[in-house]
Structure formats: C-alpha cells, structure tokens
PDB file of all heavy atoms in Angstrom:
ATOM      1  N   ILE A   1       8.535   9.670   6.848  1.00  0.00           N
ATOM      2  CA  ILE A   1       7.416  10.097   7.690  1.00  0.00           C
ATOM      3  C   ILE A   1       7.121  11.582   7.458  1.00  0.00           C
ATOM      4  O   ILE A   1       8.029  12.414   7.399  1.00  0.00           O
ATOM      5  CB  ILE A   1       7.722   9.846   9.174  1.00  0.00           C
ATOM      6  CG1 ILE A   1       7.918   8.349   9.440  1.00  0.00           C
ATOM      7  CG2 ILE A   1       6.608  10.392  10.063  1.00  0.00           C
ATOM      8  CD1 ILE A   1       6.674   7.518   9.263  1.00  0.00           C
ATOM      9  N   LEU A   2       5.831  11.887   7.329  1.00  0.00           N
ATOM     10  CA  LEU A   2       5.278  13.230   7.089  1.00  0.00           C
ATOM     11  C   LEU A   2       5.554  13.759   5.679  1.00  0.00           C
ATOM     12  O   LEU A   2       5.236  14.911   5.383  1.00  0.00           O
ATOM     13  CB  LEU A   2       5.764  14.244   8.126  1.00  0.00           C
ATOM     14  CG  LEU A   2       5.243  14.029   9.559  1.00  0.00           C
ATOM     15  CD1 LEU A   2       5.745  15.132  10.483  1.00  0.00           C
ATOM     16  CD2 LEU A   2       3.721  13.969   9.601  1.00  0.00           C
ATOM     17  N   GLN A   3       6.099  12.908   4.820  1.00  0.00           N
ATOM     18  CA  GLN A   3       6.238  13.306   3.414  1.00  0.00           C
ATOM     19  C   GLN A   3       4.864  13.297   2.757  1.00  0.00           C
ATOM     20  O   GLN A   3       4.070  12.374   2.943  1.00  0.00           O
ATOM     21  CB  GLN A   3       7.173  12.353   2.681  1.00  0.00           C
ATOM     22  CG  GLN A   3       7.342  12.678   1.200  1.00  0.00           C
ATOM     23  CD  GLN A   3       8.293  11.731   0.506  1.00  0.00           C
ATOM     24  OE1 GLN A   3       9.185  11.151   1.125  1.00  0.00           O
ATOM     25  NE2 GLN A   3       8.109  11.549  -0.782  1.00  0.00           N
ATOM     26  N   ARG A   4       4.569  14.315   1.985  1.00  0.00           N
ATOM     27  CA  ARG A   4       3.301  14.371   1.265  1.00  0.00           C
ATOM     28  C   ARG A   4       3.468  13.734  -0.104  1.00  0.00           C
ATOM     29  O   ARG A   4       4.488  13.945  -0.774  1.00  0.00           O
ATOM     30  CB  ARG A   4       2.825  15.818   1.145  1.00  0.00           C
ATOM     31  CG  ARG A   4       2.603  16.456   2.509  1.00  0.00           C
ATOM     32  CD  ARG A   4       2.150  17.886   2.431  1.00  0.00           C
ATOM     33  NE  ARG A   4       2.164  18.521   3.753  1.00  0.00           N
ATOM     34  CZ  ARG A   4       1.770  19.740   3.997  1.00  0.00           C
ATOM     35  NH1 ARG A   4       1.326  20.504   3.003  1.00  0.00           N
ATOM     36  NH2 ARG A   4       1.807  20.228   5.221  1.00  0.00           N
ATOM     37  N   VAL A   5       2.508  12.942  -0.498  1.00  0.00           N
ATOM     38  CA  VAL A   5       2.566  12.246  -1.776  1.00  0.00           C
ATOM     39  C   VAL A   5       1.306  12.530  -2.590  1.00  0.00           C
ATOM     40  O   VAL A   5       0.237  12.798  -2.040  1.00  0.00           O
ATOM     41  CB  VAL A   5       2.730  10.723  -1.574  1.00  0.00           C
ATOM     42  CG1 VAL A   5       4.095  10.405  -0.983  1.00  0.00           C
ATOM     43  CG2 VAL A   5       1.620  10.142  -0.715  1.00  0.00           C
ATOM     44  N   ASN A   6       1.475  12.439  -3.888  1.00  0.00           N
ATOM     45  CA  ASN A   6       0.356  12.573  -4.815  1.00  0.00           C
ATOM     46  C   ASN A   6       0.096  11.242  -5.494  1.00  0.00           C
ATOM     47  O   ASN A   6       0.937  10.324  -5.451  1.00  0.00           O
ATOM     48  CB  ASN A   6       0.654  13.651  -5.863  1.00  0.00           C
ATOM     49  CG  ASN A   6       0.641  15.042  -5.282  1.00  0.00           C
ATOM     50  OD1 ASN A   6      -0.334  15.453  -4.655  1.00  0.00           O
ATOM     51  ND2 ASN A   6       1.730  15.781  -5.460  1.00  0.00           N
ATOM     52  N   ILE A   7      -1.041  11.124  -6.121  1.00  0.00           N
ATOM     53  CA  ILE A   7      -1.377   9.903  -6.858  1.00  0.00           C
ATOM     54  C   ILE A   7      -0.298   9.631  -7.898  1.00  0.00           C
ATOM     55  O   ILE A   7       0.088  10.514  -8.663  1.00  0.00           O
ATOM     56  CB  ILE A   7      -2.753  10.044  -7.532  1.00  0.00           C
ATOM     57  CG1 ILE A   7      -3.853  10.114  -6.479  1.00  0.00           C
ATOM     58  CG2 ILE A   7      -3.014   8.879  -8.495  1.00  0.00           C
ATOM     59  CD1 ILE A   7      -5.211  10.497  -7.019  1.00  0.00           C
ATOM     60  N   GLY A   8       0.213   8.407  -7.888  1.00  0.00           N
ATOM     61  CA  GLY A   8       1.230   8.005  -8.861  1.00  0.00           C
ATOM     62  C   GLY A   8       2.659   8.214  -8.418  1.00  0.00           C
ATOM     63  O   GLY A   8       3.587   7.765  -9.107  1.00  0.00           O
ATOM     64  N   ASP A   9       2.872   8.869  -7.274  1.00  0.00           N
ATOM     65  CA  ASP A   9       4.239   9.057  -6.784  1.00  0.00           C
ATOM     66  C   ASP A   9       4.870   7.719  -6.418  1.00  0.00           C
ATOM     67  O   ASP A   9       4.210   6.817  -5.877  1.00  0.00           O
ATOM     68  CB  ASP A   9       4.253   9.966  -5.550  1.00  0.00           C
ATOM     69  CG  ASP A   9       4.102  11.440  -5.906  1.00  0.00           C
ATOM     70  OD1 ASP A   9       4.053  11.768  -7.104  1.00  0.00           O
ATOM     71  OD2 ASP A   9       4.026  12.265  -4.973  1.00  0.00           O
ATOM     72  N   HIS A  10       6.158   7.605  -6.690  1.00  0.00           N
ATOM     73  CA  HIS A  10       6.885   6.369  -6.400  1.00  0.00           C
ATOM     74  C   HIS A  10       7.040   6.196  -4.894  1.00  0.00           C
ATOM     75  O   HIS A  10       7.509   7.093  -4.197  1.00  0.00           O
ATOM     76  CB  HIS A  10       8.260   6.409  -7.072  1.00  0.00           C
ATOM     77  CG  HIS A  10       9.065   5.164  -6.881  1.00  0.00           C
ATOM     78  ND1 HIS A  10       8.805   3.999  -7.559  1.00  0.00           N
ATOM     79  CD2 HIS A  10      10.125   4.903  -6.069  1.00  0.00           C
ATOM     80  CE1 HIS A  10       9.665   3.062  -7.190  1.00  0.00           C
ATOM     81  NE2 HIS A  10      10.473   3.591  -6.279  1.00  0.00           N
ATOM     82  N   ILE A  11       6.655   5.027  -4.395  1.00  0.00           N
ATOM     83  CA  ILE A  11       6.777   4.708  -2.976  1.00  0.00           C
ATOM     84  C   ILE A  11       7.980   3.780  -2.746  1.00  0.00           C
ATOM     85  O   ILE A  11       8.803   4.021  -1.856  1.00  0.00           O
ATOM     86  CB  ILE A  11       5.507   4.019  -2.438  1.00  0.00           C
ATOM     87  CG1 ILE A  11       4.280   4.934  -2.626  1.00  0.00           C
ATOM     88  CG2 ILE A  11       5.676   3.618  -0.977  1.00  0.00           C
ATOM     89  CD1 ILE A  11       4.317   6.224  -1.839  1.00  0.00           C
ATOM     90  N   ALA A  12       8.058   2.717  -3.533  1.00  0.00           N
ATOM     91  CA  ALA A  12       9.112   1.716  -3.331  1.00  0.00           C
ATOM     92  C   ALA A  12       9.132   0.750  -4.504  1.00  0.00           C
ATOM     93  O   ALA A  12       8.206   0.729  -5.327  1.00  0.00           O
ATOM     94  CB  ALA A  12       8.873   0.945  -2.041  1.00  0.00           C
ATOM     95  N   GLU A  13      10.172  -0.062  -4.547  1.00  0.00           N
ATOM     96  CA  GLU A  13      10.187  -1.257  -5.403  1.00  0.00           C
ATOM     97  C   GLU A  13       9.805  -2.430  -4.515  1.00  0.00           C
ATOM     98  O   GLU A  13      10.298  -2.560  -3.392  1.00  0.00           O
ATOM     99  CB  GLU A  13      11.582  -1.493  -5.982  1.00  0.00           C
ATOM    100  CG  GLU A  13      12.081  -0.398  -6.908  1.00  0.00           C
ATOM    101  CD  GLU A  13      11.262  -0.305  -8.193  1.00  0.00           C
ATOM    102  OE1 GLU A  13      11.015  -1.357  -8.815  1.00  0.00           O
ATOM    103  OE2 GLU A  13      10.867   0.813  -8.556  1.00  0.00           O
ATOM    104  N   LEU A  14       8.901  -3.267  -5.010  1.00  0.00           N
ATOM    105  CA  LEU A  14       8.615  -4.525  -4.331  1.00  0.00           C
ATOM    106  C   LEU A  14       9.441  -5.587  -5.034  1.00  0.00           C
ATOM    107  O   LEU A  14       9.190  -5.907  -6.204  1.00  0.00           O
ATOM    108  CB  LEU A  14       7.123  -4.849  -4.385  1.00  0.00           C
ATOM    109  CG  LEU A  14       6.704  -6.248  -3.894  1.00  0.00           C
ATOM    110  CD1 LEU A  14       7.225  -6.523  -2.483  1.00  0.00           C
ATOM    111  CD2 LEU A  14       5.189  -6.415  -3.959  1.00  0.00           C
ATOM    112  N   LEU A  15      10.438  -6.126  -4.344  1.00  0.00           N
ATOM    113  CA  LEU A  15      11.362  -7.078  -4.945  1.00  0.00           C
ATOM    114  C   LEU A  15      10.716  -8.461  -5.067  1.00  0.00           C
ATOM    115  O   LEU A  15       9.973  -8.888  -4.181  1.00  0.00           O
ATOM    116  CB  LEU A  15      12.641  -7.169  -4.120  1.00  0.00           C
ATOM    117  CG  LEU A  15      13.365  -5.838  -3.853  1.00  0.00           C
ATOM    118  CD1 LEU A  15      14.653  -6.083  -3.079  1.00  0.00           C
ATOM    119  CD2 LEU A  15      13.663  -5.108  -5.165  1.00  0.00           C
ATOM    120  N   TYR A  16      11.046  -9.129  -6.164  1.00  0.00           N
ATOM    121  CA  TYR A  16      10.516 -10.472  -6.376  1.00  0.00           C
ATOM    122  C   TYR A  16      11.500 -11.507  -5.837  1.00  0.00           C
ATOM    123  O   TYR A  16      12.677 -11.498  -6.189  1.00  0.00           O
ATOM    124  CB  TYR A  16      10.277 -10.723  -7.879  1.00  0.00           C
ATOM    125  CG  TYR A  16       9.804 -12.118  -8.160  1.00  0.00           C
ATOM    126  CD1 TYR A  16       8.486 -12.488  -7.900  1.00  0.00           C
ATOM    127  CD2 TYR A  16      10.676 -13.081  -8.682  1.00  0.00           C
ATOM    128  CE1 TYR A  16       8.041 -13.777  -8.140  1.00  0.00           C
ATOM    129  CE2 TYR A  16      10.240 -14.378  -8.932  1.00  0.00           C
ATOM    130  CZ  TYR A  16       8.926 -14.721  -8.653  1.00  0.00           C
ATOM    131  OH  TYR A  16       8.496 -15.993  -8.890  1.00  0.00           O
ATOM    132  N   ALA A  17      11.006 -12.377  -4.982  1.00  0.00           N
ATOM    133  CA  ALA A  17      11.831 -13.457  -4.443  1.00  0.00           C
ATOM    134  C   ALA A  17      11.363 -14.819  -4.938  1.00  0.00           C
ATOM    135  O   ALA A  17      12.167 -15.659  -5.354  1.00  0.00           O
ATOM    136  CB  ALA A  17      11.807 -13.426  -2.913  1.00  0.00           C
ATOM    137  N   ASN A  18      10.047 -15.028  -4.903  1.00  0.00           N
ATOM    138  CA  ASN A  18       9.477 -16.323  -5.264  1.00  0.00           C
ATOM    139  C   ASN A  18       7.964 -16.146  -5.450  1.00  0.00           C
ATOM    140  O   ASN A  18       7.470 -15.013  -5.443  1.00  0.00           O
ATOM    141  CB  ASN A  18       9.785 -17.367  -4.185  1.00  0.00           C
ATOM    142  CG  ASN A  18       9.473 -16.851  -2.790  1.00  0.00           C
ATOM    143  OD1 ASN A  18       8.358 -16.397  -2.509  1.00  0.00           O
ATOM    144  ND2 ASN A  18      10.470 -16.886  -1.892  1.00  0.00           N
ATOM    145  N   ASP A  19       7.249 -17.245  -5.591  1.00  0.00           N
ATOM    146  CA  ASP A  19       5.816 -17.136  -5.877  1.00  0.00           C
ATOM    147  C   ASP A  19       4.988 -16.664  -4.687  1.00  0.00           C
ATOM    148  O   ASP A  19       3.771 -16.555  -4.754  1.00  0.00           O
ATOM    149  CB  ASP A  19       5.253 -18.450  -6.441  1.00  0.00           C
ATOM    150  CG  ASP A  19       5.448 -19.631  -5.500  1.00  0.00           C
ATOM    151  OD1 ASP A  19       5.842 -19.414  -4.324  1.00  0.00           O
ATOM    152  OD2 ASP A  19       5.206 -20.783  -5.926  1.00  0.00           O
ATOM    153  N   GLY A  20       5.667 -16.360  -3.567  1.00  0.00           N
ATOM    154  CA  GLY A  20       4.969 -15.785  -2.422  1.00  0.00           C
ATOM    155  C   GLY A  20       5.089 -14.270  -2.330  1.00  0.00           C
ATOM    156  O   GLY A  20       4.497 -13.647  -1.443  1.00  0.00           O
ATOM    157  N   SER A  21       5.821 -13.674  -3.275  1.00  0.00           N
ATOM    158  CA  SER A  21       6.033 -12.217  -3.239  1.00  0.00           C
ATOM    159  C   SER A  21       4.734 -11.492  -3.599  1.00  0.00           C
ATOM    160  O   SER A  21       4.137 -11.761  -4.653  1.00  0.00           O
ATOM    161  CB  SER A  21       7.127 -11.821  -4.232  1.00  0.00           C
ATOM    162  OG  SER A  21       8.331 -12.516  -3.961  1.00  0.00           O
ATOM    163  N   HIS A  22       4.321 -10.555  -2.756  1.00  0.00           N
ATOM    164  CA  HIS A  22       3.064  -9.853  -3.040  1.00  0.00           C
ATOM    165  C   HIS A  22       2.967  -8.537  -2.290  1.00  0.00           C
ATOM    166  O   HIS A  22       3.695  -8.286  -1.320  1.00  0.00           O
ATOM    167  CB  HIS A  22       1.860 -10.737  -2.694  1.00  0.00           C
ATOM    168  CG  HIS A  22       1.687 -11.007  -1.231  1.00  0.00           C
ATOM    169  ND1 HIS A  22       2.395 -11.979  -0.547  1.00  0.00           N
ATOM    170  CD2 HIS A  22       0.859 -10.433  -0.305  1.00  0.00           C
ATOM    171  CE1 HIS A  22       2.017 -11.991   0.721  1.00  0.00           C
ATOM    172  NE2 HIS A  22       1.089 -11.052   0.906  1.00  0.00           N
ATOM    173  N   LEU A  23       2.049  -7.703  -2.754  1.00  0.00           N
ATOM    174  CA  LEU A  23       1.650  -6.485  -2.046  1.00  0.00           C
ATOM    175  C   LEU A  23       0.335  -6.761  -1.326  1.00  0.00           C
ATOM    176  O   LEU A  23      -0.636  -7.173  -1.951  1.00  0.00           O
ATOM    177  CB  LEU A  23       1.463  -5.318  -3.020  1.00  0.00           C
ATOM    178  CG  LEU A  23       0.879  -4.033  -2.396  1.00  0.00           C
ATOM    179  CD1 LEU A  23       1.899  -3.372  -1.464  1.00  0.00           C
ATOM    180  CD2 LEU A  23       0.430  -3.060  -3.482  1.00  0.00           C
ATOM    181  N   HIS A  24       0.325  -6.535  -0.031  1.00  0.00           N
ATOM    182  CA  HIS A  24      -0.917  -6.617   0.752  1.00  0.00           C
ATOM    183  C   HIS A  24      -1.482  -5.195   0.803  1.00  0.00           C
ATOM    184  O   HIS A  24      -0.884  -4.300   1.393  1.00  0.00           O
ATOM    185  CB  HIS A  24      -0.625  -7.143   2.159  1.00  0.00           C
ATOM    186  CG  HIS A  24      -1.835  -7.246   3.023  1.00  0.00           C
ATOM    187  ND1 HIS A  24      -2.745  -8.288   2.932  1.00  0.00           N
ATOM    188  CD2 HIS A  24      -2.303  -6.429   4.016  1.00  0.00           C
ATOM    189  CE1 HIS A  24      -3.704  -8.119   3.827  1.00  0.00           C
ATOM    190  NE2 HIS A  24      -3.462  -6.988   4.492  1.00  0.00           N
ATOM    191  N   TYR A  25      -2.617  -5.012   0.158  1.00  0.00           N
ATOM    192  CA  TYR A  25      -3.187  -3.678  -0.078  1.00  0.00           C
ATOM    193  C   TYR A  25      -4.430  -3.511   0.780  1.00  0.00           C
ATOM    194  O   TYR A  25      -5.423  -4.230   0.589  1.00  0.00           O
ATOM    195  CB  TYR A  25      -3.506  -3.562  -1.568  1.00  0.00           C
ATOM    196  CG  TYR A  25      -4.091  -2.261  -2.033  1.00  0.00           C
ATOM    197  CD1 TYR A  25      -3.654  -1.036  -1.556  1.00  0.00           C
ATOM    198  CD2 TYR A  25      -5.074  -2.260  -3.037  1.00  0.00           C
ATOM    199  CE1 TYR A  25      -4.180   0.146  -2.028  1.00  0.00           C
ATOM    200  CE2 TYR A  25      -5.608  -1.080  -3.526  1.00  0.00           C
ATOM    201  CZ  TYR A  25      -5.155   0.120  -3.009  1.00  0.00           C
ATOM    202  OH  TYR A  25      -5.677   1.306  -3.491  1.00  0.00           O
ATOM    203  N   ALA A  26      -4.382  -2.576   1.728  1.00  0.00           N
ATOM    204  CA  ALA A  26      -5.492  -2.451   2.687  1.00  0.00           C
ATOM    205  C   ALA A  26      -5.967  -1.011   2.820  1.00  0.00           C
ATOM    206  O   ALA A  26      -5.172  -0.073   2.771  1.00  0.00           O
ATOM    207  CB  ALA A  26      -5.054  -2.963   4.058  1.00  0.00           C
ATOM    208  N   LEU A  27      -7.259  -0.853   2.989  1.00  0.00           N
ATOM    209  CA  LEU A  27      -7.875   0.436   3.252  1.00  0.00           C
ATOM    210  C   LEU A  27      -8.477   0.388   4.649  1.00  0.00           C
ATOM    211  O   LEU A  27      -9.253  -0.525   4.966  1.00  0.00           O
ATOM    212  CB  LEU A  27      -8.967   0.742   2.221  1.00  0.00           C
ATOM    213  CG  LEU A  27      -9.756   2.040   2.424  1.00  0.00           C
ATOM    214  CD1 LEU A  27      -8.842   3.262   2.333  1.00  0.00           C
ATOM    215  CD2 LEU A  27     -10.877   2.148   1.366  1.00  0.00           C
ATOM    216  N   ARG A  28      -8.112   1.356   5.481  1.00  0.00           N
ATOM    217  CA  ARG A  28      -8.538   1.336   6.873  1.00  0.00           C
ATOM    218  C   ARG A  28      -9.201   2.653   7.277  1.00  0.00           C
ATOM    219  O   ARG A  28      -8.885   3.706   6.721  1.00  0.00           O
ATOM    220  CB  ARG A  28      -7.333   1.077   7.792  1.00  0.00           C
ATOM    221  CG  ARG A  28      -6.567  -0.180   7.428  1.00  0.00           C
ATOM    222  CD  ARG A  28      -5.551  -0.546   8.492  1.00  0.00           C
ATOM    223  NE  ARG A  28      -4.687  -1.627   8.057  1.00  0.00           N
ATOM    224  CZ  ARG A  28      -5.047  -2.904   8.032  1.00  0.00           C
ATOM    225  NH1 ARG A  28      -6.268  -3.258   8.423  1.00  0.00           N
ATOM    226  NH2 ARG A  28      -4.210  -3.841   7.630  1.00  0.00           N
ATOM    227  N   LYS A  29     -10.089   2.542   8.249  1.00  0.00           N
ATOM    228  CA  LYS A  29     -10.684   3.731   8.861  1.00  0.00           C
ATOM    229  C   LYS A  29      -9.793   4.169  10.017  1.00  0.00           C
ATOM    230  O   LYS A  29      -9.294   3.331  10.777  1.00  0.00           O
ATOM    231  CB  LYS A  29     -12.094   3.417   9.374  1.00  0.00           C
ATOM    232  CG  LYS A  29     -13.070   3.058   8.255  1.00  0.00           C
ATOM    233  CD  LYS A  29     -14.442   2.746   8.806  1.00  0.00           C
ATOM    234  CE  LYS A  29     -15.418   2.389   7.682  1.00  0.00           C
ATOM    235  NZ  LYS A  29     -16.770   2.072   8.179  1.00  0.00           N
ATOM    236  N   VAL A  30      -9.577   5.464  10.132  1.00  0.00           N
ATOM    237  CA  VAL A  30      -8.698   5.984  11.179  1.00  0.00           C
ATOM    238  C   VAL A  30      -9.175   5.577  12.564  1.00  0.00           C
ATOM    239  O   VAL A  30      -8.383   5.258  13.453  1.00  0.00           O
ATOM    240  CB  VAL A  30      -8.575   7.522  11.073  1.00  0.00           C
ATOM    241  CG1 VAL A  30      -7.856   8.107  12.280  1.00  0.00           C
ATOM    242  CG2 VAL A  30      -7.841   7.909   9.784  1.00  0.00           C
ATOM    243  N   MET A  31     -10.480   5.535  12.766  1.00  0.00           N
ATOM    244  CA  MET A  31     -11.044   5.195  14.075  1.00  0.00           C
ATOM    245  C   MET A  31     -11.124   3.688  14.305  1.00  0.00           C
ATOM    246  O   MET A  31     -11.613   3.238  15.330  1.00  0.00           O
ATOM    247  CB  MET A  31     -12.422   5.828  14.240  1.00  0.00           C
ATOM    248  CG  MET A  31     -12.430   7.348  14.191  1.00  0.00           C
ATOM    249  SD  MET A  31     -11.329   8.099  15.411  1.00  0.00           S
ATOM    250  CE  MET A  31     -12.205   7.703  16.925  1.00  0.00           C
ATOM    251  N   GLY A  32     -10.630   2.917  13.336  1.00  0.00           N
ATOM    252  CA  GLY A  32     -10.614   1.467  13.509  1.00  0.00           C
ATOM    253  C   GLY A  32     -11.450   0.745  12.478  1.00  0.00           C
ATOM    254  O   GLY A  32     -12.499   1.228  12.062  1.00  0.00           O
ATOM    255  N   GLY A  33     -10.992  -0.426  12.083  1.00  0.00           N
ATOM    256  CA  GLY A  33     -11.723  -1.234  11.106  1.00  0.00           C
ATOM    257  C   GLY A  33     -11.137  -1.132   9.710  1.00  0.00           C
ATOM    258  O   GLY A  33     -10.488  -0.138   9.366  1.00  0.00           O
ATOM    259  N   ASP A  34     -11.342  -2.156   8.919  1.00  0.00           N
ATOM    260  CA  ASP A  34     -10.854  -2.185   7.538  1.00  0.00           C
ATOM    261  C   ASP A  34     -12.012  -2.461   6.597  1.00  0.00           C
ATOM    262  O   ASP A  34     -13.038  -3.020   6.998  1.00  0.00           O
ATOM    263  CB  ASP A  34      -9.767  -3.257   7.374  1.00  0.00           C
ATOM    264  CG  ASP A  34     -10.211  -4.620   7.908  1.00  0.00           C
ATOM    265  OD1 ASP A  34     -10.959  -5.325   7.211  1.00  0.00           O
ATOM    266  OD2 ASP A  34      -9.814  -4.976   9.037  1.00  0.00           O
ATOM    267  N   VAL A  35     -11.849  -2.074   5.356  1.00  0.00           N
ATOM    268  CA  VAL A  35     -12.854  -2.307   4.313  1.00  0.00           C
ATOM    269  C   VAL A  35     -12.124  -2.759   3.053  1.00  0.00           C
ATOM    270  O   VAL A  35     -10.903  -2.672   2.964  1.00  0.00           O
ATOM    271  CB  VAL A  35     -13.700  -1.039   4.028  1.00  0.00           C
ATOM    272  CG1 VAL A  35     -14.523  -0.651   5.238  1.00  0.00           C
ATOM    273  CG2 VAL A  35     -12.809   0.108   3.609  1.00  0.00           C
ATOM    274  N   CYS A  36     -12.873  -3.218   2.091  1.00  0.00           N
ATOM    275  CA  CYS A  36     -12.286  -3.699   0.839  1.00  0.00           C
ATOM    276  C   CYS A  36     -11.903  -2.517  -0.052  1.00  0.00           C
ATOM    277  O   CYS A  36     -12.762  -1.724  -0.444  1.00  0.00           O
ATOM    278  CB  CYS A  36     -13.270  -4.609   0.121  1.00  0.00           C
ATOM    279  SG  CYS A  36     -12.595  -5.330  -1.396  1.00  0.00           S
ATOM    280  N   ALA A  37     -10.618  -2.412  -0.384  1.00  0.00           N
ATOM    281  CA  ALA A  37     -10.124  -1.294  -1.192  1.00  0.00           C
ATOM    282  C   ALA A  37     -10.757  -1.248  -2.582  1.00  0.00           C
ATOM    283  O   ALA A  37     -10.936  -0.159  -3.147  1.00  0.00           O
ATOM    284  CB  ALA A  37      -8.598  -1.378  -1.315  1.00  0.00           C
ATOM    285  N   TYR A  38     -11.117  -2.393  -3.119  1.00  0.00           N
ATOM    286  CA  TYR A  38     -11.717  -2.430  -4.462  1.00  0.00           C
ATOM    287  C   TYR A  38     -12.993  -1.607  -4.523  1.00  0.00           C
ATOM    288  O   TYR A  38     -13.242  -0.906  -5.505  1.00  0.00           O
ATOM    289  CB  TYR A  38     -12.008  -3.889  -4.857  1.00  0.00           C
ATOM    290  CG  TYR A  38     -12.715  -4.052  -6.174  1.00  0.00           C
ATOM    291  CD1 TYR A  38     -12.004  -4.048  -7.370  1.00  0.00           C
ATOM    292  CD2 TYR A  38     -14.098  -4.213  -6.235  1.00  0.00           C
ATOM    293  CE1 TYR A  38     -12.642  -4.213  -8.595  1.00  0.00           C
ATOM    294  CE2 TYR A  38     -14.752  -4.373  -7.443  1.00  0.00           C
ATOM    295  CZ  TYR A  38     -14.022  -4.370  -8.622  1.00  0.00           C
ATOM    296  OH  TYR A  38     -14.679  -4.519  -9.829  1.00  0.00           O
TER     297      TYR A  38
END
C-alpha cells in the first residue's frame, strides 16, 4: 500500500491452476463506475 509504480513494474505472479485461471482487468472511475480498459 502507497508504493509508487511505473509502467512495466512487476506486481505479482499469477499462478496457473487450471483452465479457469485468469486476470480480471478493470478500469474504474474514482467517483464510481467502470469502463472498458481496451
């Protein structure tokens, strides 16, 4: 918490368990609501 990161900095490893393993990638507005990150 409160660590500053730059583009490309390592965040974590996402471990593979099975065909349900995935990253849920979301872009949100601070005041509420989500939009498509693409």
